Coordinates of all heavy atoms in Angstrom, one line a residue:
D1 N -12.3 -7.5 1.9 CA -12.7 -6.7 3.0 C -11.6 -6.7 4.1 O -11.3 -5.7 4.7 CB -14.0 -7.1 3.6 CG -15.2 -7.0 2.5 OD1 -15.0 -6.1 1.6 OD2 -16.2 -7.8 2.6
E2 N -11.1 -7.9 4.4 CA -10.1 -8.1 5.4 C -8.8 -7.3 4.9 O -8.1 -6.7 5.7 CB -9.8 -9.5 5.6 CG -8.7 -9.8 6.6 CD -9.1 -9.4 8.0 OE1 -10.3 -9.2 8.3 OE2 -8.1 -9.3 8.9
M3 N -8.5 -7.4 3.6 CA -7.3 -6.8 3.1 C -7.4 -5.3 3.2 O -6.4 -4.6 3.6 CB -7.0 -7.3 1.7 CG -5.8 -6.7 1.1 SD -5.4 -7.4 -0.5 CE -6.9 -7.0 -1.4
R4 N -8.5 -4.7 2.9 CA -8.7 -3.3 2.9 C -8.6 -2.7 4.4 O -8.1 -1.7 4.6 CB -10.0 -2.9 2.3 CG -10.0 -3.0 0.8 CD -11.4 -2.6 0.2 NE -11.4 -2.6 -1.3 CZ -11.1 -1.6 -2.0 NH1 -10.8 -0.4 -1.5 NH2 -11.2 -1.7 -3.3
S5 N -9.2 -3.5 5.3 CA -9.1 -3.0 6.7 C -7.6 -3.1 7.2 O -7.2 -2.2 7.9 CB -10.0 -3.9 7.6 OG -9.5 -5.3 7.6
R6 N -6.9 -4.1 6.8 CA -5.5 -4.1 7.2 C -4.7 -3.0 6.5 O -3.7 -2.5 7.1 CB -4.9 -5.5 6.9 CG -5.5 -6.6 7.7 CD -4.7 -7.9 7.7 NE -5.3 -9.0 8.4 CZ -4.7 -10.1 8.7 NH1 -3.4 -10.3 8.3 NH2 -5.3 -11.1 9.3
L7 N -5.0 -2.7 5.3 CA -4.3 -1.6 4.6 C -4.5 -0.3 5.3 O -3.6 0.5 5.5 CB -4.8 -1.6 3.2 CG -4.3 -0.4 2.3 CD1 -2.8 -0.5 2.1 CD2 -5.0 -0.3 1.0
A8 N -5.8 -0.1 5.8 CA -6.1 1.2 6.5 C -5.2 1.3 7.8 O -4.7 2.4 8.1 CB -7.5 1.3 6.8
L9 N -5.1 0.2 8.5 CA -4.3 0.2 9.7 C -2.8 0.5 9.4 O -2.1 1.2 10.2 CB -4.4 -1.1 10.5 CG -5.8 -1.4 11.1 CD1 -5.9 -2.8 11.7 CD2 -6.2 -0.4 12.1
L10 N -2.3 -0.1 8.4 CA -0.9 0.1 8.0 C -0.6 1.6 7.6 O 0.4 2.1 7.8 CB -0.5 -0.8 6.9 CG -0.4 -2.3 7.3 CD1 -0.2 -3.1 6.0 CD2 0.8 -2.5 8.2
L11 N -1.6 2.2 7.0 CA -1.4 3.6 6.5 C -1.6 4.6 7.7 O -1.0 5.6 7.6 CB -2.4 3.9 5.4 CG -2.3 3.1 4.1 CD1 -3.3 3.6 3.1 CD2 -0.9 3.3 3.5
K12 N -2.3 4.2 8.7 CA -2.5 5.1 9.9 C -1.2 5.3 10.7 O -1.1 6.3 11.4 CB -3.6 4.6 10.8 CG -5.0 4.8 10.2 CD -6.0 4.3 11.2 CE -7.4 4.5 10.6 NZ -8.5 4.0 11.6
R13 N -0.3 4.4 10.6 CA 0.9 4.5 11.4 C 2.0 5.4 10.8 O 3.0 5.6 11.4 CB 1.5 3.1 11.7 CG 2.1 2.4 10.4 CD 2.8 1.2 10.8 NE 3.5 0.5 9.7 CZ 4.4 -0.4 9.8 NH1 4.7 -0.9 11.0 NH2 5.0 -0.9 8.8
L14 N 1.7 5.9 9.6 CA 2.7 6.7 8.9 C 2.7 8.1 9.5 O 1.7 8.6 9.9 CB 2.4 6.7 7.4 CG 2.5 5.4 6.7 CD1 2.0 5.5 5.3 CD2 4.0 4.9 6.7
R15 N 3.9 8.7 9.6 CA 4.0 10.1 10.1 C 4.6 11.0 9.1 O 5.0 10.6 8.0 CB 5.0 10.1 11.3 CG 4.6 9.1 12.4 CD 5.4 9.3 13.7 NE 6.8 9.3 13.4 CZ 7.6 8.2 13.7 NH1 7.0 7.1 14.1 NH2 8.9 8.2 13.5
H16 N 4.8 12.3 9.4 CA 5.5 13.2 8.5 C 6.9 12.8 8.3 O 7.6 12.5 9.3 CB 5.4 14.6 9.1 CG 4.0 15.2 9.1 ND1 3.4 15.7 8.0 CD2 3.1 15.4 10.1 CE1 2.2 16.1 8.2 NE2 2.0 16.0 9.5
G17 N 7.4 12.8 7.1 CA 8.7 12.4 6.8 C 8.9 11.0 6.3 O 9.9 10.6 5.8
D18 N 7.8 10.2 6.5 CA 7.8 8.8 6.1 C 7.5 8.7 4.6 O 7.0 9.7 4.0 CB 6.8 7.9 6.9 CG 7.2 7.8 8.3 OD1 8.4 8.0 8.6 OD2 6.3 7.5 9.2
H19 N 7.7 7.5 4.0 CA 7.4 7.3 2.6 C 6.6 6.0 2.5 O 6.8 5.0 3.3 CB 8.7 7.1 1.8 CG 9.6 8.3 1.8 ND1 9.4 9.3 0.9 CD2 10.6 8.7 2.6 CE1 10.3 10.3 1.1 NE2 11.1 9.9 2.1
C20 N 5.7 6.0 1.6 CA 4.8 4.8 1.4 C 4.5 4.6 -0.1 O 4.3 5.5 -0.8 CB 3.5 4.9 2.2 SG 2.4 3.5 2.1
D21 N 4.6 3.3 -0.5 CA 4.3 2.9 -1.9 C 3.4 1.7 -1.8 O 3.7 0.7 -1.1 CB 5.5 2.6 -2.7 CG 6.5 3.8 -2.8 OD1 6.0 4.8 -3.3 OD2 7.7 3.7 -2.4
I22 N 2.3 1.7 -2.6 CA 1.4 0.6 -2.7 C 1.5 0.0 -4.1 O 1.2 0.7 -5.1 CB -0.1 1.0 -2.4 CG1 -0.2 1.7 -1.0 CG2 -1.0 -0.2 -2.5 CD1 -1.5 2.2 -0.7
I23 N 2.0 -1.2 -4.2 CA 2.2 -1.8 -5.5 C 1.1 -2.8 -5.7 O 0.9 -3.7 -4.9 CB 3.6 -2.5 -5.6 CG1 4.7 -1.4 -5.4 CG2 3.8 -3.2 -6.9 CD1 6.1 -2.0 -5.5
L24 N 0.4 -2.7 -6.8 CA -0.7 -3.6 -7.2 C -0.2 -4.8 -7.9 O 0.5 -4.6 -8.9 CB -1.8 -2.9 -8.0 CG -2.3 -1.5 -7.4 CD1 -3.3 -0.9 -8.3 CD2 -2.8 -1.7 -6.0
L25 N -0.5 -6.0 -7.4 CA 0.0 -7.2 -8.0 C -0.6 -7.6 -9.3 O 0.1 -8.2 -10.1 CB -0.1 -8.4 -7.0 CG 0.7 -8.2 -5.7 CD1 0.5 -9.5 -4.8 CD2 2.2 -8.0 -5.9
A26 N -1.9 -7.3 -9.5 CA -2.6 -7.8 -10.7 C -2.0 -7.0 -11.9 O -2.1 -5.7 -11.9 CB -4.1 -7.6 -10.6
G27 N -1.6 -7.6 -12.9 CA -1.1 -7.0 -14.1 C -0.6 -8.0 -15.1 O -0.6 -9.2 -14.9
S28 N -0.1 -7.5 -16.2 CA 0.4 -8.4 -17.3 C 1.8 -8.9 -16.9 O 2.6 -8.1 -16.4 CB 0.5 -7.7 -18.6 OG 1.3 -6.5 -18.5
P29 N 2.1 -10.2 -17.1 CA 3.4 -10.7 -16.8 C 4.5 -10.0 -17.5 O 4.4 -9.8 -18.7 CB 3.3 -12.2 -17.2 CG 1.9 -12.5 -17.2 CD 1.2 -11.2 -17.7
G30 N 5.6 -9.6 -16.8 CA 6.7 -9.0 -17.4 C 6.5 -7.5 -17.6 O 7.4 -6.8 -18.0
G31 N 5.3 -6.9 -17.2 CA 5.1 -5.5 -17.3 C 5.4 -4.8 -16.0 O 5.7 -5.4 -15.0
R32 N 5.4 -3.5 -16.1 CA 5.6 -2.6 -15.0 C 4.4 -2.5 -14.1 O 3.3 -2.1 -14.6 CB 6.0 -1.2 -15.4 CG 6.6 -0.3 -14.4 CD 8.0 -0.8 -14.0 NE 8.6 0.0 -13.0 CZ 9.7 -0.2 -12.4 NH1 10.4 -1.3 -12.7 NH2 10.2 0.6 -11.5
P33 N 4.5 -2.9 -12.8 CA 3.3 -2.9 -12.0 C 2.9 -1.5 -11.7 O 3.7 -0.6 -11.7 CB 3.7 -3.7 -10.7 CG 5.2 -3.5 -10.7 CD 5.7 -3.4 -12.1
T34 N 1.6 -1.4 -11.4 CA 1.0 -0.1 -11.0 C 1.4 0.2 -9.6 O 1.3 -0.6 -8.7 CB -0.5 -0.1 -11.1 OG1 -0.9 -0.5 -12.5 CG2 -1.1 1.2 -10.8
M35 N 1.9 1.5 -9.3 CA 2.3 1.9 -8.0 C 1.6 3.2 -7.6 O 1.5 4.1 -8.4 CB 3.8 2.1 -8.0 CG 4.4 2.5 -6.7 SD 6.2 2.9 -6.8 CE 6.8 1.3 -7.3
L36 N 1.1 3.2 -6.4 CA 0.5 4.3 -5.8 C 1.4 4.8 -4.6 O 1.8 4.1 -3.8 CB -0.9 4.0 -5.2 CG -1.9 3.4 -6.2 CD1 -3.2 3.0 -5.5 CD2 -2.2 4.3 -7.4

């Protein structure tokens, strides 16, 4: 819950022209992580 609230605050500061990537840490070792 605390992590999701902080994620929402970090996403609100983005403006037009900015770039954002969210990389999910949970995954198989040595594999390509999931990116949003």
Side-chain angles (χ1 to χ4, degrees):
D1 299 334
E2 178 68 18
M3 181 173 58
R4 286 180 178 266
S5 63
R6 295 196 183 190
L7 176 65
L9 293 176
L10 290 172
L11 296 180
K12 285 182 179 179
R13 68 175 186 163
L14 297 172
R15 308 190 303 262
H16 290 284
D18 293 341
H19 299 272
C20 181
D21 298 304
I22 304 174
I23 298 180
L24 307 181
L25 295 183
S28 58
R32 193 71 179 173
T34 304
M35 180 183 301
L36 306 176

